[in-house]
Amino acid sequence: MEFGEGVRNIFLAGVGAAATTAETAKDIIDKLVEKGELTVEQGKVFNEELKHKAKEKVKDHVSVSVTKNFDDAFASVDKMSLEELKKLKERIAEAEAAKEEDSTDAEEA
């Protein structure tokens, strides 16, 4: 698994956990409304407050930074087999073709 893929998976797991927590909280609020312990309006306000606080917590505790430090990539290239180098060259050619296509599309626009 690549480093970027690992970060992506961790981020998605965090989002999934937050979504599950929000759903659970909503279910609890709905049950309290059904029992008459909260009015529908109080439930809506409470639910919105929970969503807002969850967003704040995510903003406070989650940061993602992307760097273009290629030292690790260059070290990896030194360790590759001929077959791996061939696949890497093919992937680079595909990426270059896509970039050229993107720049051509941008010039035409």
Side-chain angles (χ1 to χ4, degrees):
M1 177 178 356
E2 294 180 15
F3 177 74
E5 185 67 19
V7 171
R8 179 179 177 273
N9 289 341
I10 291 169
F11 176 75
L12 290 176
V15 170
T20 301
T21 302
E23 287 177 20
T24 302
K26 184 181 180 312
D27 290 344
I28 291 169
I29 291 168
D30 289 345
K31 286 179 183 175
L32 289 172
V33 169
E34 285 176 21
K35 291 180 180 180
E37 295 178 26
L38 282 177
T39 66
V40 173
E41 191 58 38
Q42 287 173 323
K44 287 179 183 177
V45 170
F46 190 59
N47 196 26
E48 288 301 314
E49 186 177 326
L50 284 173
K51 286 181 192 177
H52 180 71
K53 285 186 179 187
K55 286 180 184 178
E56 284 180 0
K57 290 290 183 188
V58 168
K59 283 172 99 176
D60 291 345
H61 297 288
V62 174
S63 65
V64 176
S65 63
V66 177
T67 62
K68 291 189 175 186
N69 181 349
F70 295 109
D71 292 338
D72 291 338
F74 294 141
S76 295
V77 169
D78 293 340
K79 297 174 188 174
M80 289 182 174
S81 68
L82 288 175
E83 183 63 30
E84 291 169 328
L85 286 170
K86 182 180 175 185
K87 288 179 182 178
L88 178 60
K89 287 177 186 178
E90 291 171 0
R91 179 63 187 102
I92 290 171
E94 291 171 6
E96 286 175 338
K99 292 284 184 185
E100 288 173 3
E101 186 177 306
D102 289 346
S103 67
T104 303
D105 291 344
E107 289 174 7
E108 292 175 0

